[in-house]
Each structure stands twice: as C-alpha cells, then as structure tokens.
Amino acid sequence: MEDIERRGIPRIFCLGDLAGKGPNSAQAVDTIRERCEMVIKGNWDHFLAETMGEEKFAWYQEQLGPKRLEYLKNLPLYTEFYMSGKLIRLCHASPNDLFHRVYLHTETEERMKLFRGTKSLDREADVVGYGDIHGAHIDNFNNKTLFNVGSVGNPLEIPQASYAILEGNYGSMEENPLSISLIRVPYDVELAVSHAEMTDMPHKREYILELRTAKYRGRRKKEKGYSHK
Ligand SMILES: [Mn+2]
C-alpha cells in the first residue's frame, strides 16, 4: 500500500482471495474494502462465504464474522473496462469461471478461454489480468496479453509482495500506448511469521514455510509452474 501511494496511483483493484490461509483475514478484508475501488471474488472468498460446517474453513469464518462473509459472498467475478483502446478484463481465475485454473505452461486453447465474452459484454478481451496461482508473469500470444499479478500475502516464486500497474488512458477506446508492469515489494517476512505464531491458525507450519521460501506446500516433484488450492 505504501509503494502504491508513493507512486501516486489513483485506483486500486484487488483480484480476490482476500481471506483464508493467513492469520489476519478480518484485517485484510477491512483494509481491502477501505482502500480498493474494485474488489473481485476469489475461490477462497467463495468457499468461506458459501461452505458452512467444514473444519478447514471454520477458523477463518469465526474470525471474519457474518458481515464480512456476506460482503465476500456478494463480490463480482470480474471487472471490465477500456484502456488506451484495449478491452481489459480483470478476474481471479477466469472471468466466467472461478475454478478454471491456468498456468504459464497451460496449453494456449485453455488460456484463450479467459478472453471469452462475458454476460455483460459479448466481446473477446484484448488483455486479461488474473490472480489465483500466486505466480506473477506476463505473456503475449494470439494478439492477446495475459498477465498474472502474483500475490501480496502469499507469493509462491519470490518471497516478496507482488502487484501489477496498468498505465494508459482509463476508459478510452482510442488506441494509445499501454503499459503493464509487475512490481516486487520487499517486506518484513519475519514480522508476518510472528503474527502467524501468535495464533492457533490451521496449517501454521506450512504457511510459515511458504512465507519464508515462496515454495508451495503441495508442490509435486514433476509439477511445473505455480500451484495452490
Ligand atoms: Mn485462489
């Protein structure tokens, strides 16, 4: 947030998974709600808001309370706008499917599904930005740009917070230069670890190891790219 402020960035969009995994879900939801102009629903947000009576979600649900869970439940699945002549969609995993997960190495056909038209605008996107896999990257193919913003609180490639900046004429259908930058922000990982240590959160050891190493707890030997559940 300090890095964003220092750069004078006027609007902040959050691409989901506000809550779950970490020790401070309630604080995360409140901060994001206060600071972000647009907030998109993630798969964790969906599960926490919709699944009752499951052990693995109960700790977070108790912390969040009914009002925040209601807020998460009503978040949209995507946002779309024009910038410098490009139609841009931002989502958590895929604009039309919260559980369609693609990686950098996923075949092009599957990744092209992210560009499909939506209920609100039946037109292929030019640029799609997403989250979900905790691995920042940008790729151009088939006259499209697909980028992943990475993760602020649980990065799984470099142990630094990650976000993306889009620069162009917001709301403009006229073609002009557009830039997409991926930013890494060093932060006090051990402070975050100490917050986790103070709680009895589920899977605390695995979480702390992920913060320190940026390696996914469930990564299999042969698996390529980034992964999380
Ligand atoms: Mn996710």
Side-chain angles (χ1 to χ4, degrees), residues 134-137 148-155 157-164 182-187:
H134 303 218
H137 64 261
N148 190 286
V149 297
S151 171
V152 173
N154 185 209
E157 10 73 322
I158 296 170
Q160 294 183 326
S162 174
Y163 75 98
L182 299 177
I183 318 299
R184 301 310 292 223
V185 185
Y187 73 102

Side-chain angles (χ1 to χ4, degrees), residues 15-17 21 41-45 92-93 98 101 131-134 228-229:
L15 302 191
D17 278 2
K21 286 192 94 173
K41 188 190 287 184
N43 54 314
W44 267 92
D45 307 319
H92 183 69
L98 191 45
R101 180 168 289 159
D132 193 38
I133 61 168
H134 303 218
H228 94 117
K229 269 198 167 175

Side-chain angles (χ1 to χ4, degrees), residues 38 40-41 76-80 89-92 94-96 118-121:
M38 172 61 69
I40 305 299
K41 188 190 287 184
L77 293 183
Y78 60 88
T79 186
E80 56 199 354
R89 282 199 185 95
L90 304 176
C91 60
H92 183 69
S94 179
N96 296 305
T118 58
K119 270 188 287 185
S120 43
L121 184 55

Side-chain angles (χ1 to χ4, degrees), residues 15-214:
L15 302 191
D17 278 2
L18 288 67
K21 286 192 94 173
N24 295 315
S25 286
Q27 197 186 0
V29 170
D30 293 347
T31 302
I32 289 164
R33 199 172 176 178
E34 184 191 315
R35 304 288 291 274
C36 298
E37 179 172 308
M38 172 61 69
V39 181
I40 305 299
K41 188 190 287 184
N43 54 314
W44 267 92
D45 307 319
H46 167 84
F47 286 128
L48 290 172
E50 305 282 350
T51 318
M52 292 301 144
E54 272 210 40
E55 184 81 36
K56 63 178 171 177
F57 300 129
W59 192 85
Y60 304 104
Q61 287 167 331
E62 196 177 316
Q63 191 183 59
L64 289 164
K67 281 185 184 164
R68 290 189 191 89
L69 290 172
E70 185 66 19
Y71 167 74
L72 295 179
K73 185 179 179 171
N74 291 313
L75 291 174
L77 293 183
Y78 60 88
T79 186
E80 56 199 354
F81 53 86
Y82 282 88
M83 183 182 256
S84 297
K86 306 273 192 193
L87 174 59
I88 300 180
R89 282 199 185 95
L90 304 176
C91 60
H92 183 69
S94 179
N96 296 305
D97 185 352
L98 191 45
F99 307 102
H100 180 75
R101 180 168 289 159
V102 300
Y103 303 98
L104 187 52
H105 65 270
T106 299
E107 60 190 63
T108 306
E109 196 183 323
E110 285 302 301
R111 299 168 86 208
M112 282 300 290
K113 288 181 183 172
L114 273 65
F115 294 87
R116 286 178 179 171
T118 58
K119 270 188 287 185
S120 43
L121 184 55
D122 185 19
R123 211 206 107 167
E124 271 199 1
D126 303 300
V127 177
V128 169
Y130 74 115
D132 193 38
I133 61 168
H134 303 218
H137 64 261
I138 180 164
D139 197 20
N140 297 301
F141 52 94
N142 293 359
N143 200 21
K144 307 286 185 194
T145 299
L146 181 62
F147 70 96
N148 190 286
V149 297
S151 171
V152 173
N154 185 209
L156 294 176
E157 10 73 322
I158 296 170
Q160 294 183 326
S162 174
Y163 75 98
I165 300 175
L166 301 184
E167 288 171 275
N169 297 334
Y170 184 58
S172 171
M173 293 176 79
E174 188 189 335
E175 286 214 273
N176 267 300
L178 170 75
S179 63
I180 303 170
S181 320
L182 299 177
I183 318 299
R184 301 310 292 223
V185 185
Y187 73 102
D188 191 343
V189 170
E190 290 309 315
L191 180 65
V193 167
S194 73
H195 288 161
E197 293 283 16
M198 283 186 277
T199 72
D200 59 350
M201 61 178 279
H203 307 292
K204 186 159 70 178
R205 290 295 125 217
E206 292 90 334
Y207 172 73
I208 288 172
L209 196 63
E210 279 184 354
L211 290 192
R212 285 181 171 150
T213 65

